[in-house]
């Protein structure tokens, strides 16, 4: 029986992923002014966080060789769930500015629902109604964030 996707050294994969994410963030922070220790610029903090992330990735990757080798088995639907999760994040990022917070959250809920076979339509509908209301109350009214709730006409 096929169990799904297997990763032989998950700690090493995680360490390499953290190093890659940290390197990407460090490259992006290079476009900002770093400044000096007594007058830090906008790129200083992202660069420090990126360096810490790469260092943690390096430690995790090195310790993966000293620990007992394990195998992580992702079930077949786990890859589908991961893909739906990443697509939902991408959908939110691409739609929050042109559409606004509420439509972006509704789209995110619908896209993320494709990651599971067990989701019922009425549950998706309930979450797609309640979550935007809670986010509107929390972020726009409560925290006074300057994000439009709806921006369909622009």
């Amino acid at each position: 029986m096929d169990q799904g996707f297997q990763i032989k050294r998950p700690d090493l994969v995680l360490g390499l992923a953290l190093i890659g994410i940290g390197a990407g963030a460090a490259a992006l922070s290079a476009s900002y002014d770093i400044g000096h220790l007594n007058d830090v610029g906008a790129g200083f903090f992202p660069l420090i966080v990126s360096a810490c992330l790469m260092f943690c990735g390096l430690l995790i990757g090195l310790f993966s060789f000293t620990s007992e080798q394990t195998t992580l088995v992702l079930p077949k639907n786990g890859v589908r769930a991961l893909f739906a999760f990443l697509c939902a994040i991408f959908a939110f990022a691409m739609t929050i500015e042109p559409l606004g917070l509420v439509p972006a959250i509704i789209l995110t809920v619908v896209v993320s629902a494709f990651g599971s076979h067990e989701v019922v339509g009425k549950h998706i509908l309930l979450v797609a109604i309640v979550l935007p209301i809670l986010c509107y109350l929390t972020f726009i009214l409560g925290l006074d964030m300057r994000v439009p709730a709806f921006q369909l006409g622009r």
Side-chain angles (χ1 to χ4, degrees):
M1 180 175 135
D2 188 21
Q3 296 178 355
F5 187 71
Q6 295 185 358
I7 300 174
K8 294 291 182 190
R9 288 196 179 269
D11 292 345
L12 179 61
V13 173
L14 173 65
L16 292 174
L18 290 178
I19 291 171
I21 293 170
L28 288 174
S29 73
S31 64
Y32 295 105
D33 180 38
I34 295 173
H36 305 287
L37 283 178
N38 57 353
D39 184 28
V40 296
F44 184 78
F45 184 71
L47 184 64
I48 295 299
V49 171
S50 301
C52 291
L53 189 63
M54 289 188 291
F55 181 70
C56 289
L58 179 67
L59 288 179
I60 291 171
L62 290 176
F63 282 119
S64 72
F65 293 108
T66 62
S67 63
E68 184 177 318
Q69 183 176 355
T70 59
T71 300
L72 176 66
V73 178
L74 296 176
K76 287 184 180 181
N77 63 346
V79 175
R80 176 182 171 164
L82 177 64
F83 183 71
F85 173 72
L86 294 174
C87 287
I89 293 173
F90 183 75
F92 181 81
M94 293 294 110
T95 59
I96 189 163
E97 280 190 34
L99 300 180
L101 182 69
V102 173
I105 290 174
I106 293 171
L107 182 64
T108 302
V109 168
V110 171
V111 170
S112 65
F114 287 107
S116 175
H117 296 289
E118 302 169 3
V119 177
V120 181
K122 62 182 176 183
H123 295 149
I124 297 171
L125 183 63
L126 180 67
V127 173
I129 291 171
V130 172
L131 189 61
I133 292 170
L134 291 176
C135 288
Y136 176 80
L137 293 173
T138 303
F139 296 113
I140 295 176
L141 294 182
L143 296 175
D144 197 29
M145 289 181 68
R146 301 291 175 212
V147 177
F150 293 96
Q151 191 165 311
L152 300 175
R154 292 185 188 184

